[in-house]
Amino acid sequence: MRGLHLHVDCASGAAGDMMLGALLDLGVPLEVVGLALDAIGAGRARLRVTEVTKGGIAAIDLKVDTSGELEGANRHAHGAVHTGHEHLLGREDRGRHDRGHHDHDHGHHEHGHHEHGDHEHGDHDHGHHGHHGHAHYHYRDIRARILAAPLTAGTRRRALDIFDRIARAEAKLHGTTVDEVAFHEVGAIDSVVDVVGTAAALDWLAPASVSCTSVAMGHGTIRCAHGVLPVPAPAALEVMREAGAVVSDGGIARELCTPTGAAILAHAVTRWDAAPTGRPVAVGWGAGDADLPDRPNVLRVTVIQPHDAGLRTGASPDTVWQIDANLDDMSPELCGPASEAVFAAGALDVWWTPITMKKGRPALVLSALATEAARDRVIAAILRETTTIGVRFAPRERLVLARRTVDVATRFGMIPIKVASDGAGIENAAPEYEACAAAAKQHGVPVKLVYAAAVAAWDRGRDPGAGVG
């Protein structure tokens, strides 16, 4: 299941809880998500996972306990700079702040809990005066928390990219800076659980590619502290616009896609197209909260083993952009942070090449690969984080072997091996460095010993008659 293709069906829209629920239903271990939530200071105990039936479809329903605060939280009192449109950043159901667990009777559980179809909001107060005294988490603090947390490198990169997308959309909509975007206390806890949990699940699956035909957004209006706004929610629509996503109305007068759901899809999807021809390996369903009148309120994720009869190699062709910048005046100390920033902007790969420039000056080329949707963000990150005054970019054709991840048992514990194969005899395998480094630290041995043990275990698994070694 790991390292294959994912296809996401969003006929009922998308939200963070729906995506995470579908990934857990696929078979992502709950422990993977729990470890990430513990690392970020949210704690796995906040997550409630149950199975429900929506329109005859059994799906995973997630609830988040939003009582208390994030461990080691750096909060700001109400009145600090924030967007004001809290239906985009936090829970709109202000009447339930003090209940701890939120009873989600709205469409999707974060970033937009409104009854949109008939605009009847009951007795809930959606204005700011209903929550004076609640604190806000500025995005800069959430980002610092993610950077400092003992997450896997992949989980950290994915979580930062998802949050960055939401913050960029909010900053643009409200005329503020990304750092000053503020999440209401409850919405921040909810968002951290959904975003970091989903990032960890995607990192564990390590999909070779992700497709989605279109996302149902809904229509109508939503009421917030500043009055009536149109559906799709402005932040969700801005996230989708920036990503070059494909959206549809969905035929329902209510908000179907939340900003968090939009940001997760914008991060994960590598092509907005129909599912590829292939063998379905696993299917997961994530439940939304409302009961929709004409369809199950669910999101589906399918793991597909692609089949390409034309190539007959198991390799998947696609087009990416290569972006290059020559640098002859940049301190080597800045190279590491620059690489991280380019990865966070959505680059598929980043590397440095030593060159000699005019007058014999030693220099470096910073290169990155990016999808069409991420190209401009990657270019912006290179221009912002390095000393270059310009970049070059061009499309590059590539073939990508189908990938999967296999766990092997060693005397240092279970180590994941990433395996790339063409289905016709070619097979490349490499242990995951982060897992090897963690095991080496735990057992007090060099990383190379763990690496060698993992390779040997993989070889034994391919040839059961081989010696122990």
Side-chain angles (χ1 to χ4, degrees):
M1 181 170 72
R2 301 167 73 181
L4 300 180
H5 180 85
L6 298 184
H7 183 74
V8 188
D9 289 298
C10 302
S12 299
D17 60 332
M18 296 173 77
M19 188 68 174
L20 182 53
L23 295 177
L24 290 173
D25 196 34
L26 272 182
V28 173
L30 186 58
E31 179 68 9
V32 169
V33 175
L35 286 172
L37 296 183
D38 290 344
I40 203 66
R44 68 183 69 194
R46 291 185 182 275
L47 200 59
R48 300 291 183 267
V49 182
T50 58
E51 184 175 290
V52 298
T53 301
K54 290 287 183 179
I57 300 294
I60 294 298
D61 179 56
L62 296 184
K63 296 290 187 291
V64 178
D65 182 351
T66 56
S67 60
E69 61 183 57
L70 298 173
E71 181 181 341
N74 182 9
R75 302 185 303 166
H76 297 264
H78 185 70
V81 177
H82 59 92
T83 67
H85 290 270
E86 299 206 20
H87 73 285
L88 303 179
L89 287 174
R91 295 184 182 276
E92 188 66 18
D93 194 1
R94 304 303 179 199
R96 299 180 181 180
H97 273 322
D98 296 329
R99 294 191 187 180
H101 290 284
H102 286 257
D103 303 318
H104 309 301
D105 60 357
H106 297 295
H108 303 313
H109 90 258
E110 49 32 278
H111 300 324
H113 304 61
H114 321 281
E115 297 297 341
H116 309 307
D118 53 11
H119 314 297
E120 292 180 3
H121 295 274
D123 297 326
H124 303 309
D125 180 1
H126 297 280
H128 282 229
H129 62 275
H131 52 87
H132 287 296
H134 287 295
H136 289 75
Y137 295 84
H138 278 118
Y139 173 60
R140 62 173 176 266
D141 298 324
I142 293 177
R143 197 173 198 282
R145 173 183 291 272
I146 294 172
L147 286 170
L151 299 163
T152 66
T155 299
R156 181 181 298 107
R157 176 180 61 83
R158 291 179 180 275
L160 286 173
D161 184 58
I162 295 168
F163 263 124
D164 281 350
R165 292 172 186 273
I166 300 172
R168 286 198 303 270
E170 293 292 351
K172 179 178 179 180
L173 288 169
H174 303 296
T176 186
T177 65
V178 167
D179 281 347
E180 291 304 313
V181 168
F183 289 66
H184 185 271
E185 175 182 347
V186 182
I189 292 172
D190 211 21
S191 298
V192 165
V193 171
D194 286 349
V195 170
V196 175
T198 299
L202 288 171
D203 186 49
W204 186 85
L205 284 168
S209 51
V210 181
S211 59
C212 179
T213 306
S214 64
V215 184
M217 305 293 288
H219 64 268
T221 59
I222 48 179
R223 185 175 299 278
C224 70
H226 294 271
V228 175
L229 288 175
V231 173
L237 188 61
E238 174 60 24
V239 168
M240 290 303 208
R241 184 206 62 77
E242 183 191 73
V246 178
V247 301
S248 65
D249 175 85
I252 297 182
R254 70 179 302 143
E255 181 182 31
L256 294 177
C257 182
T258 69
T260 297
I264 289 170
L265 290 171
H267 160 79
V269 173
T270 56
R271 64 177 185 262
W272 297 93
D273 203 351
T277 300
R279 180 174 62 87
V281 175
V283 180
W285 298 87
D289 296 306
D291 292 322
L292 302 180
D294 64 342
R295 73 198 72 177
N297 190 10
V298 291
L299 178 148
R300 181 174 67 181
V301 179
T302 307
V303 179
I304 298 175
Q305 172 69 63
H307 173 71
D308 195 322
L311 288 173
R312 301 183 62 188
T313 63
S316 176
D318 67 352
T319 301
V320 295
W321 288 82
Q322 180 170 327
I323 302 121
D324 300 300
N326 289 5
L327 299 157
D328 64 355
D329 59 349
M330 182 166 157
S331 169
E333 295 175 331
L334 302 177
C335 292
S339 295
E340 292 178 3
V342 176
F343 269 123
L348 302 171
D349 198 7
V350 179
W351 68 96
W352 298 85
T353 306
I355 60 172
T356 301
M357 293 181 62
K358 60 185 179 182
K359 300 181 180 179
R361 288 198 298 264
L364 295 170
V365 177
L366 170 58
S367 301
L369 291 181
T371 63
E372 174 79 27
R375 185 194 66 186
D376 290 348
R377 294 194 306 277
V378 169
I379 290 174
I382 292 174
L383 293 173
R384 183 183 65 248
E385 300 290 337
T386 74
T387 58
T388 189
I389 59 174
V391 301
R392 305 177 300 279
F393 53 92
R396 302 294 297 269
E397 298 291 327
R398 65 174 186 169
L399 282 176
V400 181
L401 293 176
R403 288 168 286 176
R404 69 185 190 278
T405 301
V406 177
D407 292 322
V408 298
T410 74
R411 65 181 182 274
F412 306 110
M414 299 297 292
I415 302 295
I417 302 275
K418 185 174 289 184
V419 182
S421 60
D422 70 345
I426 296 177
E427 199 164 58
N428 301 320
E432 292 283 8
Y433 170 77
E434 297 286 349
C436 291
K441 183 177 181 180
Q442 180 182 354
H443 292 274
V445 298
V447 175
K448 64 181 181 182
L449 292 185
V450 180
Y451 194 95
V455 171
W458 162 249
D459 286 337
R460 289 197 300 273
R462 298 175 65 195
D463 180 10
V468 173

